């Protein structure tokens, strides 16, 4: 609307100037013409009156006779007065009251003195008049002056009328012009611009059905510029990424491996120590009877970073969560891990129940988690949780700062539990190089803006030199959020934020896994899959698989509804298809997780009752922590794996499934709302909210030709091989080294 208004206003101003200028000159011309006409008329009239009066004066000079004589001249159009001023001061005039007045006396004197006509415009009784005087001659002597007074009011009236007509014409013209311009602008300018703007915004990526929006009241052109500048920046980043990728593959000619990363980092770090901070510890020690066992938790952060620190060595600081954790650490709360091949040091931070409640369950998982995931669970923001979150961040900062020597340290901070940590460290150690990787999505600016402490969070994060996300889409959302919330300079071409003289680069680093089947899985006995089938009644069954933490973002309800629908739609699958869900309990102290679990269990129960036949149950919900060996056996057993997250930063289950299928068999059905779907275009991509569509994808997976399965699986495995976790780490650390 803004642009339409601007165009129409400019058009109207231009038209007003032209019409007003043109009318002004026309009015002047008309006035001149009318004055000329009047002058001619008075000249002619005065000539004939002069002759008549002069010949009358030859005969008499008695005033009353002259008065009677001049009365004969009355009645001429627009002639409203006639004065005869004799040289001796005597005046004879029409109308007679003029005789008593001094009006035009001076003009008559001028005529007599100059012996030539005088023509002036003047006022008489409030009327505009013209006086035209000529000398009266008797016997070659000037004896007086004859003045004709004409009404000029008609000229003023005619010019006034002319202006009125012009104004009317202009108003009609303006209305017609505005209407025509409005249509032309809508059809030919703003309409197409708005459509292009929309296309560009869509092309920028609508990930979860939520369009990128903006608070600022933007016009169509601004929207287009905004979209185009973002798109140009994305293209530039994509190009740089491609150059970087081809450089890595071509120059080195090999795939990134643990050994290559180790060599690379040793040469690049040159003795610098690597520090990792995360909430979840990579190894948990817990009691099992009289024994202490060491387990690895179901965590994307751990899956990603454990191989990195195993390759580089260094120190990992994390929250101690195991009930035997204290029993294995030294006086500084440190232990070497993994126990079977010590490669790096784990330093444990102890939190009280209160601290864990406020920082982990409260602010991190009831606040930030639902805030960043668009899965329709409301975030809860409690002041006491926020205070706890701040204090625990400070506790981790102190624990880390204690470990630093004089060398500038390289610090990798993980996830949404530590948004404030980068600034806390930077304030104490400005020489530290910090990368913060955000493992979950970053929503659009409006969604994030509901957080009451958004400014503190963003400021905390900007203590990092690098802020990393899984996708460019999340980077753009972050830049946008900072742009709106903080006073700062954003460089959209380089994806950098400068605030208070400090610059943070915002980059996508799509996380991955090590790219080869897990060693534990390979060690399994002769026919572990047969055993699994036997143990779980899966002989001769088609098997679908889900592997998740039990979390409302994972779309478990949608997944089971799709299973129900496929059994309903294709009844021959009843008794034949079993869906195994390996669900690891998670965050069970939080109300929304408890409610969600109950709902899931109820649905599973309902579906199982509906389709059970003898021993057959369509859904096998194995609700416990599963070790990696067991998970990988199930991956290799399944006919299809279904990842139905409603919103997910990356989702490493998808990548693990592909990497485990050396047989190039099995189909991945993948939610389009995961980061992984950006890389796995050869998976069957689904919208998990669309139960019918997901059910159809399941049927497609079960009936897919073996060659097509191989083709799709090969492509995904190639991606996991090339873009593995070592490369993720190398890219992020390379970027961090650049900031030295
Ligand atoms: O996605 C974020 C993340 O930290 C993942 O790394 C991991 O899968 C999950 O959350 C673990 O959550 P928690 O540590 O709360 O069990």
């Amino acid at each position: 609307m803004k642009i339409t208004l601007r165009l129409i206003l400019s058009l109207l101003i231009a038209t007003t100037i032209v019409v007003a200028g043109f009318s002004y000159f026309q009015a002047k011309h008309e006035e001149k013409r009318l004055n000329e006409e009047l002058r001619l008329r008075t000249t002619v009239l005065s000539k004939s009156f002069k002759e008549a009066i002069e010949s009358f004066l030859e005969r008499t000079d008695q005033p009353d006779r002259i008065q009677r004589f001049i009365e004969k001249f009355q009645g001429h159009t627009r002639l409203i007065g006639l004065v005869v001023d004799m040289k001796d001061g005597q005046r004879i005039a029409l109308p007679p009251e003029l005789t008593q007045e001094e009006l035009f006396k001076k003009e008559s004197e001028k005529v007599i003195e100059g012996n030539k006509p005088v023509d002036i415009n003047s006022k008489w009784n409030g009327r505009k008049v013209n006086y035209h005087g000529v000398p009266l001659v008797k016997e070659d002597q000037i004896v007086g002056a004859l003045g004709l007074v004409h009404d000029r009011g008609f000229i003023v009236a005619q010019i006034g009328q002319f202006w009125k007509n012009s104004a009317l014409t202009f108003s009609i013209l303006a209305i017609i012009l505005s209407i025509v311009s409005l249509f032309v602008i809508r059809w030919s300018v703003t309409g197409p611009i708005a459509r292009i703007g929309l296309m560009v915004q869509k092309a920028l990526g609508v990930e979860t059905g939520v369009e990128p929006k903006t608070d600022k009241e933007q016009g169509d052109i601004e929207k287009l510029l905004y979209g185009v500048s973002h798109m140009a920046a994305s293209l530039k980043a994509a190009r740089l990424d491609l150059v970087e990728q081809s450089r890595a593959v071509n120059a080195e000619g090999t795939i990134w491996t643990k050994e290559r990363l180790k060599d690379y980092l040793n040469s690049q770090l040159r003795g610098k120590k690597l520090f990792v901070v995360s909430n979840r510890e990579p190894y948990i020690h817990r009691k099992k009877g009289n024994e202490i066992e060491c387990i690895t938790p179901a965590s994307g952060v751990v899956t990603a970073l454990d191989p990195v620190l195993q390759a580089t060595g260094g120190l990992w600081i994390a929250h101690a969560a195991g009930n035997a954790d204290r029993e294995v650490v030294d006086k500084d709360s440190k232990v070497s891990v993994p126990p079977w091949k010590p490669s790096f040091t784990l330093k444990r931070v102890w939190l009280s129940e209160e601290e864990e409640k406020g920082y982990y369950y409260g602010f991190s998982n009831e606040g930030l988690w639902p805030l960043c995931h668009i899965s329709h669970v409301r975030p809860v923001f409690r002041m006491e949780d926020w205070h706890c979150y701040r204090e625990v961040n400070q506790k981790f900062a102190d624990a880390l700062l204690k470990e630093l020597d004089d060398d500038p340290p390289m610090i990798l901070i993980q996830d949404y539990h530590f948004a404030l940590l980068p600034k806390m460290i930077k304030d104490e150690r400005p020489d530290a190089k910090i990368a913060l990787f955000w493992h979950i999505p970053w929503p659009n600016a409006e969604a994030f803006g509901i957080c009451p402490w958004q400014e503190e969070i963003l400021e905390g994060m900007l203590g990092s030199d690098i802020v990393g996300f899984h996708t460019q889409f999340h980077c753009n959302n972050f830049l946008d959020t900072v742009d709106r919330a903080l006073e700062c300079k954003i460089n959209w071409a380089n994806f950098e934020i400068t605030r208070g003289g400090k610059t943070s680069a915002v980059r996508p680093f799509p996380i991955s896994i090590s790219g080869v089947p897990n060693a534990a899985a390979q060690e399994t006995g002769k026919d572990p899959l047969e055993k699994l089938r036997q143990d779980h009644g899966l002989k001769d069954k088609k098997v679908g698989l889900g592997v998740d933490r039990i979390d409302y973002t994972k779309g478990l309800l949608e997944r089971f509804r799709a299973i129900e629908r496929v059994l309903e739609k294709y009844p021959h699958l009843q008794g034949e298809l079993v869906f195994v869900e390996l669900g690891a309990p998670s965050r069970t102290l939080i109300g929304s997780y408890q409610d969600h679990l109950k709902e899931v269990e109820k649905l599973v129960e309902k579906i199982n009752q509906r389709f059970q036949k003898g021993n057959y149950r369509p859904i096998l919900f194995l609700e416990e922590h599963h070790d990696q060996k067991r998970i990988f056996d199930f991956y290799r057993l399944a006919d299809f794996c279904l990842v139905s997250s409603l919103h997910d930063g990356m989702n490493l289950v998808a990548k693990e499934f592909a990497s485990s299928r050396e047989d190039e068999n099995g189909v991945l059905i993948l939610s389009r709302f995961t980061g992984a779907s950006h890389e796995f275009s050869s998976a069957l991509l689904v919208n998990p909210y669309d139960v019918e569509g997901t059910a159809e994808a399941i049927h497609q997976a079960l009936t897919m030709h073996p060659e097509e399965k191989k083709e799709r699986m090969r492509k995904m495995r190639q991606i996991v091989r090339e873009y593995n976790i070592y490369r993720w780490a190398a890219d992020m650390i390379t970027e961090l080294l650049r900031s030295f």
Side-chain angles (χ1 to χ4, degrees):
M1 197 59 206
K2 239 165 140 190
I3 178 182
T4 314
L5 214 68
R6 258 189 254 145
L7 278 169
I8 292 181
L9 270 179
S10 331
L11 259 171
L12 287 181
I13 290 170
T15 317
T16 312
I17 293 171
V18 171
V19 172
F22 189 75
S23 303
Y24 175 77
F25 286 113
Q26 249 198 322
K28 280 281 156 211
H29 177 76
E30 181 69 0
E31 193 177 352
K32 202 172 155 196
R33 188 186 65 73
L34 290 170
N35 278 329
E36 195 57 34
E37 210 179 276
L38 185 65
R39 205 182 58 74
L40 268 171
R41 182 183 162 73
T42 51
T43 310
V44 171
L45 216 57
S46 62
K47 217 172 171 185
S48 60
F49 282 15
K50 172 182 156 74
E51 275 169 20
I53 292 172
E54 275 175 352
S55 73
F56 192 76
L57 284 178
E58 295 285 341
R59 283 177 263 138
T60 179
D61 52 6
Q62 285 181 15
D64 50 340
R65 290 198 56 203
I66 300 171
Q67 179 76 40
R68 278 202 300 280
F69 180 70
I70 66 170
E71 272 169 10
K72 291 179 191 158
F73 297 132
Q74 284 189 86
H76 281 271
T77 327
R78 294 187 190 120
L79 181 67
I80 55 170
L82 199 147
V83 282
V84 175
D85 281 317
M86 302 308 285
K87 209 172 177 179
D88 57 7
Q90 183 180 237
R91 165 169 275 196
I92 302 139
L94 267 182
E97 59 266 28
L98 247 185
T99 318
Q100 310 310 322
E101 289 190 31
E102 285 298 298
L103 197 68
F104 305 126
K105 267 268 160 72
K106 270 190 195 136
E107 285 74 13
S108 296
E109 278 165 15
K110 251 193 200 167
V111 173
I112 295 166
E113 271 166 29
N115 188 19
K116 58 179 186 196
V118 165
D119 195 74
I120 57 134
N121 291 332
S122 180
K123 274 192 168 178
W124 178 27
N125 285 342
R127 294 167 80 179
K128 296 196 171 185
V129 297
N130 172 270
Y131 167 87
H132 182 81
V134 289
L136 290 173
V137 178
K138 182 177 173 184
E139 295 162 1
D140 293 329
Q141 291 294 315
I142 296 176
V143 292
L146 163 67
L148 272 64
V149 184
H150 272 90
D151 184 7
R152 279 187 73 246
F154 77 99
I155 297 181
V156 177
Q158 278 195 30
I159 296 301
Q161 188 58 41
F162 171 82
W163 276 114
K164 271 187 202 154
N165 290 346
S166 295
L168 186 69
T169 314
F170 170 71
S171 307
I172 294 170
L173 191 69
I175 291 169
I176 294 173
L177 214 67
S178 304
I179 293 172
V180 172
S181 317
L182 195 74
F183 281 112
V184 172
I185 292 166
R186 268 270 141 225
W187 284 331
S188 323
V189 185
T190 56
I193 286 176
R195 280 199 297 279
I196 295 172
L198 213 66
M199 274 162 59
V200 171
Q201 290 209 352
K202 274 192 181 160
L204 277 171
V206 179
E207 206 185 20
T208 59
V210 180
E211 296 221 354
K213 285 183 206 151
T214 160
D215 280 330
K216 290 173 192 162
E217 274 303 308
Q218 290 181 332
D220 292 333
I221 296 269
E222 281 90 334
K223 265 186 208 150
L224 181 62
L225 282 176
Y226 177 81
V228 168
S229 65
H230 276 53
M231 190 175 251
S234 304
L235 287 176
K236 188 170 175 190
R239 191 170 58 82
L240 286 177
D241 202 22
L242 274 178
V243 170
E244 188 64 22
Q245 282 169 21
S246 63
R247 191 193 57 74
V249 172
N250 295 337
E252 313 290 339
T254 50
I255 296 293
W256 282 94
T257 59
K258 196 189 231 179
E259 285 64 41
R260 185 174 163 202
L261 179 68
K262 200 170 183 174
D263 292 347
Y264 174 74
L265 292 182
N266 283 339
S267 72
Q268 297 297 309
L269 294 175
R270 282 193 226 108
K272 281 191 193 73
K273 210 167 160 191
L274 205 57
F275 295 88
V276 171
V277 184
S278 75
N279 171 68
R280 188 60 65 199
E281 52 180 349
Y283 297 92
I284 300 176
H285 289 90
R286 65 179 187 191
K287 289 180 183 145
K288 196 177 179 191
N290 290 332
E291 306 272 288
I292 291 179
E293 65 171 1
C294 181
I295 58 155
T296 48
S299 156
V301 174
V302 172
T303 314
L305 279 162
D306 179 51
V308 174
L309 272 213
Q310 283 203 39
T312 61
L315 182 80
W316 186 323
I317 301 184
H319 165 219
N323 57 11
D325 274 356
R326 270 189 201 275
E327 296 181 24
V328 296
V329 295
D330 64 13
K331 62 175 184 14
D332 297 320
S333 304
K334 291 182 189 166
V335 57
S336 287
V337 285
W340 49 90
K341 190 185 174 201
S343 317
F344 63 94
T345 306
L346 169 63
K347 177 176 178 175
R348 287 174 166 150
V349 173
W350 316 97
L351 298 181
S352 68
E353 233 174 75
E354 269 307 291
E355 284 173 327
E356 195 179 352
K357 186 166 164 265
Y359 139 84
Y360 174 76
Y361 289 106
F363 193 71
S364 296
N365 286 315
E366 286 192 89
L368 287 175
W369 179 269
L371 176 71
C372 290
H373 287 87
I374 301 165
S375 48
H376 317 292
V377 169
R378 276 193 179 189
V380 180
F381 299 115
R382 296 181 202 97
M383 181 63 97
E384 56 274 26
D385 290 349
W386 167 244
H387 287 154
C388 238
Y389 182 84
R390 239 179 8 207
E391 280 156 22
V392 170
N393 270 246
Q394 191 59 58
K395 197 168 191 174
F396 273 80
D398 297 342
L400 175 67
L401 287 165
K402 224 188 259 174
E403 297 298 325
L404 306 181
D405 55 23
D406 289 343
D407 274 351
M410 302 254 308
I411 302 165
L412 306 180
I413 298 175
Q414 305 305 309
D415 236 348
Y416 59 101
H417 310 90
F418 295 115
L420 306 179
L421 190 53
K423 184 169 183 296
M424 289 172 173
I425 296 171
K426 202 70 163 194
D427 285 348
E428 295 301 316
R429 288 294 299 259
D431 61 330
K433 292 297 162 192
I434 306 173
L436 167 67
F437 190 79
W438 199 261
H439 289 256
I440 59 176
W442 190 277
N444 65 45
E446 284 84 356
F448 198 82
I450 65 169
C451 175
W453 302 286
Q454 75 154 334
E455 279 158 32
E456 289 95 319
I457 289 174
L458 296 173
E459 271 171 8
M461 293 173 76
L462 292 180
S464 323
D465 299 275
I466 313 269
V467 183
F469 296 94
H470 292 299
T471 67
Q472 184 62 50
F473 183 74
H474 296 147
C475 292
N476 290 353
N477 278 351
F478 179 74
L479 285 160
D480 224 6
T481 309
V482 174
D483 196 11
R484 285 161 198 233
L486 298 182
E487 252 338 295
C488 62
K489 194 172 147 247
I490 308 261
N491 183 338
W492 280 99
N494 295 330
F495 300 100
E496 283 173 0
I497 300 167
T498 304
R499 180 172 158 82
K502 194 200 152 295
T503 297
S504 308
V506 182
R507 298 275 183 275
F509 300 105
I511 208 165
S512 193
I513 54 170
S514 57
V516 288
N518 181 280
Q522 286 179 325
E523 280 165 18
T524 22
K526 242 192 163 189
D527 207 351
L529 305 194
E530 263 321 299
K531 186 165 181 326
L532 260 195
R533 282 192 184 274
Q534 235 162 27
D535 289 353
H536 296 287
L538 300 173
K539 260 185 164 257
D540 308 321
K541 299 281 187 271
K542 291 195 184 302
V543 178
L545 178 68
V547 180
D548 310 85
R549 282 183 310 102
I550 303 172
D551 190 301
Y552 51 78
T553 60
K554 301 295 178 186
L556 293 175
L557 294 169
E558 289 71 9
R559 181 181 308 181
F560 294 142
R561 282 190 198 114
I563 296 294
E564 181 178 28
R565 181 66 188 128
V566 84
L567 292 172
E568 197 175 72
K569 206 168 170 188
Y570 301 98
H572 67 273
L573 290 175
Q574 295 173 19
E576 196 184 328
L577 171 64
V578 176
F579 189 85
V580 181
E581 176 64 40
L582 304 183
S586 176
R587 304 171 192 170
T588 46
L589 296 188
I590 297 175
S592 51
Y593 282 76
Q594 292 162 2
D595 296 345
H596 177 250
L597 177 59
K598 272 187 213 138
E599 226 185 317
V600 169
E601 285 172 339
K602 217 166 123 193
L603 182 64
V604 170
E605 182 63 24
K606 188 197 108 188
I607 297 170
N608 278 343
Q609 272 180 10
R610 183 173 170 194
F611 296 106
Q612 75 177 38
K613 224 184 263 166
N615 287 336
Y616 172 75
R617 304 271 186 291
I619 300 175
L620 192 58
F621 187 20
L622 302 177
E623 193 190 323
E624 59 188 300
H625 280 285
H626 302 270
D627 64 29
Q628 284 200 328
K629 172 187 168 299
R630 186 176 161 86
I631 295 174
F632 272 80
D633 283 348
F634 266 112
Y635 281 146
R636 289 186 291 138
L637 173 100
D639 291 283
F640 68 90
C641 177
L642 175 50
V643 175
S644 56
S645 309
L646 306 180
H647 201 188
D648 216 330
M650 174 53 72
N651 193 286
L652 292 181
V653 168
K655 295 192 172 179
E656 284 178 348
F657 177 63
S659 89
S660 71
R661 298 309 296 244
E662 283 175 314
D663 60 353
E664 294 177 345
N665 205 341
V667 178
L668 175 64
I669 303 172
L670 179 60
S671 160
R672 60 178 67 253
F673 305 138
T674 59
S677 71
H678 292 241
E679 294 171 79
F680 280 3
S681 53
S682 52
L684 294 183
L685 297 183
V686 292
N687 168 2
Y689 291 97
D690 174 10
V691 171
E692 197 67 28
T694 311
E696 266 317 305
I698 294 172
H699 185 253
Q700 189 186 345
L702 292 174
T703 52
M704 190 180 282
H705 192 280
E707 267 315 304
E708 185 182 344
K709 283 190 202 173
K710 275 192 190 313
E711 184 61 30
R712 287 174 181 268
M713 190 50 85
R714 229 175 263 150
K715 284 184 187 156
M716 289 188 279
R717 286 176 59 78
Q718 182 61 18
I719 289 168
V720 178
R721 254 164 58 80
E722 279 181 25
Y723 299 88
N724 59 23
I725 188 62
Y726 305 115
R727 181 172 182 161
W728 173 83
D731 283 351
M732 195 159 56
I733 294 168
T734 308
E735 188 76 40
L736 195 56
L737 282 165
R738 269 193 210 137
S739 61
F740 268 102

